[in-house]
Amino acid sequence: MSSLLPPKAGAINENLKLESAQMCVNPHAAEPPATPPHVRKWRKSNFVEPGKRVIHPGMQDDFAAGVDPNKIFGTGTASESDHVADVWKNPEGDTEFQKAKNQLMEAVYKSVKREPLGTSYNRGHKMPSFMKDDPKFRHGIKSVKGQTAKEVLNPADETEEDVEATKLYIKSHGSYGPGVQKTRNYNWKVDPHATVWGDKGKDIALGGLSQAVSDILHGVGDEPKKTITSKKYDDFQSMTDLLGRARNLGHGLSLPDKDHVFGKGSVRRGPNEWDSRDCIEGKYDISEQAPDADLGTTMTPGFRNCTTEVRRFGCPSVRSDIPKYARRSVADNQNYGDDVNARYLLHPSQFASLGVEDEEFVNGRDKEYIKTMFNDTGYGVADDVFEEIYASACEPDGSCGVDQYRKAYNNWLFATGGI
C-alpha cells in the first residue's frame, strides 16, 4: 500500500531527471517508451526490419506459441483422388465398355434425363400420335390476310354498322379520321356549316372590304417590321461572328473600297534603290551571282590549306596502305578493298541468304569435287561423258569452276537432244 502513496514532502525525488525543466522543454531528449507487443503487431513498422518474415498480425500469437512457420494449413490431396492427367482425359472412356459404364453412371442425374445433349429440353409432355407422325405439322392458327392500307383509308362500301362503329370509336377515344371536322354535338340554333364566325372589321374600305383586307391586297406589311432598339445592342451584335463574313474587330463599321490598299507607300530615295520585291526575288548581275573568291579557304594567316608537298592529307576510305590481317576480327572496321559496294547491298546475290557468294561458283575445283557434287544433286552422267564435258570446260591448269562445268553440261544436253 505504501508504494501507491505520493512521496513525502521535502524528500528527494528519485525520478528528478525525468521531471526536470529540460525534460519539460524537450521531452524527446530521452528515449520514448516502446510500443506494447499487442499493439506493435498491427503496425506496418513491425515488418520494416530487413530479412524479417511478414506474418499476418492475427497469426503472430500462433507462431509465438510454437507453431512451425513453414506449416501448410489445410488437408493435402489424397493419393486416391483424380490427378491432372485423369481430369484432362476424355471422360467418355476409350473402349465401348468404358463408354457404356460412363453413361450408366451419368444416368442418375436429372439434367441428363431432361436435358440430353444435342436434343431439345424434355418437359415430360406426351404428344399425340398425329403430331409425332406428321412431319409437316405446325402449331398455331394460320394468318388471314386482311385489308390493305388503301382499303382502310378509302373504304369502298361503308355499311351502317361501320358508320355506327366509327361514331362509337369517336365518342370513346375522341379520334377523328383524316380530313374529318371535329364536332362536339352542341344543340345550336344555327347551322355551323353555313354560319361565318368572327367580328367584322371596324374600318370598311371601298367595295365593302375591311381595311385589313385592303392593306393586304395593296402589299402593306411586305416590308420588315421596323423596331427601335438600343444602339449598344446593335453594336454588340455586329461584333459577333457572322457566317460568311470576316469578324468585326471594332475598327469601324464602314468598309473601304475593294481596291483600297492598307499601309503607307514606299518612298524610294533613288532609281537604283532596292525595295522588298527586289530583296525577295533578287536583282543581281552575273558577277554578283558568282561564288566568293575566298570560298572554301580560311582568311586567317597561317591556317590555309596550301602546301608544296605532292600528297593527299587525311586517311583514305580504302586502307590499301596497311596490310590485311590473316584472320579478320569482328572489331576491325577497316575497309581493305574487299568489301562489297552499295549495289551489292541493295541487290544481293541469289544465294547470299544461304551464305554462298557468287565467287564460290567461279573458283577452281578439282575433278573429283565436280563429279561428286553433280552426282549428289541428280545431274550425274557416265564416266566417259563426264571426262568429255570436263575436258571442254576445264582451265589449262586442270581446274574447273562449278559455273563453267554447268555451262558445258548444258551445251552437251543441247547437242545430244537431252533437253
Side-chain angles (χ1 to χ4, degrees):
M1 295 296 290
S2 61
S3 59
L4 300 178
L5 296 176
K8 297 180 180 181
I12 299 176
N13 190 358
E14 297 178 357
N15 297 328
L16 186 59
K17 294 181 179 181
L18 300 178
E19 297 180 0
S20 61
Q22 181 182 2
M23 290 300 301
C24 294
V25 176
N26 187 11
H28 300 290
E31 184 178 358
T35 306
H38 66 281
V39 179
R40 178 176 173 80
K41 67 179 182 179
W42 296 99
R43 293 188 174 180
K44 294 183 179 179
S45 59
N46 190 28
F47 310 108
V48 297
E49 300 179 9
K52 186 175 182 180
R53 181 178 179 182
V54 179
I55 303 175
H56 191 270
M59 302 176 62
Q60 289 189 9
D61 296 338
D62 299 339
F63 291 118
V67 180
D68 186 8
N70 298 322
K71 180 182 179 181
I72 300 175
F73 295 91
T75 305
T77 305
S79 59
E80 63 274 4
S81 63
D82 295 337
H83 298 280
V84 177
D86 299 333
V87 173
W88 285 101
K89 191 176 181 182
N90 190 359
E92 294 183 359
D94 298 332
T95 62
E96 295 295 334
F97 173 74
Q98 292 178 351
K99 294 180 180 179
K101 183 179 179 181
N102 182 69
Q103 292 179 0
L104 184 61
M105 296 173 63
E106 295 287 339
V108 298
Y109 297 104
K110 187 177 181 179
S111 60
V112 177
K113 298 179 181 179
R114 302 194 64 180
E115 302 178 16
L117 187 63
T119 58
S120 60
Y121 184 76
N122 184 14
R123 292 178 172 82
H125 303 320
K126 294 183 179 180
M127 297 296 178
S129 58
F130 68 89
M131 293 185 181
K132 297 188 294 184
D133 299 339
D134 187 6
K136 297 183 179 180
F137 178 80
R138 299 292 184 272
H139 296 273
I141 302 175
K142 294 182 178 180
S143 302
V144 180
K145 183 179 179 181
Q147 294 179 334
T148 61
K150 181 179 179 181
E151 295 174 352
V152 173
L153 296 176
N154 302 314
D157 297 328
E158 190 175 11
T159 61
E160 296 181 359
E161 184 179 358
D162 296 336
V163 174
E164 295 296 331
T166 303
K167 293 181 180 180
L168 183 61
Y169 191 78
I170 292 174
K171 184 177 181 180
S172 60
H173 293 76
S175 177
Y176 294 84
V180 179
Q181 184 180 5
K182 183 181 294 185
T183 59
R184 295 178 174 85
N185 297 325
Y186 293 153
N187 188 11
W188 293 347
K189 297 180 181 181
V190 295
D191 186 6
H193 299 285
T195 305
V196 179
W197 309 95
D199 190 9
K200 294 182 179 180
K202 297 180 180 180
D203 300 331
I204 303 300
L206 298 176
L209 298 176
S210 64
Q211 186 66 35
V213 176
S214 178
D215 294 341
I216 293 175
L217 293 177
H218 289 82
V220 178
D222 294 341
E223 297 180 358
K225 187 178 180 180
K226 299 180 180 179
T227 58
I228 300 176
T229 58
S230 175
K231 186 177 182 302
K232 293 183 179 180
Y233 178 77
D234 294 339
D235 295 341
F236 174 76
Q237 289 295 108
S238 63
M239 298 291 290
T240 57
D241 295 330
L242 300 178
L243 184 62
R245 295 175 57 185
R247 186 173 183 180
N248 183 13
L249 301 179
H251 301 312
L253 300 178
S254 60
L255 299 178
D257 187 19
K258 62 178 181 179
D259 297 331
H260 178 77
V261 178
F262 293 92
K264 186 178 180 181
S266 302
V267 179
R268 297 189 178 184
R269 297 182 178 85
N272 297 327
E273 184 182 4
W274 279 42
D275 55 3
S276 300
R277 179 179 179 180
D278 295 337
C279 293
I280 296 175
E281 296 180 358
K283 194 177 179 181
Y284 306 94
D285 54 10
I286 301 301
S287 59
E288 293 176 342
Q289 297 179 16
D292 296 339
D294 56 350
L295 181 64
T297 60
T298 178
M299 302 300 296
T300 304
F303 289 89
R304 300 180 182 181
N305 294 330
C306 299
T307 179
T308 57
E309 300 179 8
V310 183
R311 66 183 183 90
R312 294 185 179 91
F313 294 88
C315 183
S317 301
V318 179
R319 300 306 304 271
S320 58
D321 55 332
I322 57 177
K324 181 181 178 181
Y325 292 97
R327 169 178 267 179
R328 186 73 176 268
S329 174
V330 179
D332 188 6
N333 56 358
Q334 298 291 346
N335 183 5
Y336 298 96
D338 55 351
D339 289 354
V340 296
N341 51 19
R343 180 182 178 183
Y344 181 84
L345 297 177
L346 297 176
H347 305 283
S349 60
Q350 182 179 3
F351 303 99
S353 60
L354 302 177
V356 180
E357 302 294 341
D358 292 341
E359 59 183 12
E360 298 294 335
F361 295 92
V362 297
N363 291 337
R365 311 286 182 179
D366 56 1
K367 182 188 298 185
E368 191 63 27
Y369 181 89
I370 297 294
K371 183 177 181 180
T372 304
M373 178 180 177
F374 278 85
N375 289 338
D376 294 342
T377 55
Y379 294 95
V381 293
D383 294 342
D384 55 345
V385 177
F386 174 77
E387 293 292 340
E388 180 182 355
I389 297 174
Y390 187 83
S392 63
C394 66
E395 298 292 338
D397 58 352
S399 63
C400 178
V402 176
D403 188 65
Q404 293 176 344
Y405 182 84
R406 181 183 62 81
K407 293 179 180 179
Y409 177 76
N410 293 337
N411 294 333
W412 175 80
L413 290 178
F414 280 110
T416 56
I419 187 171

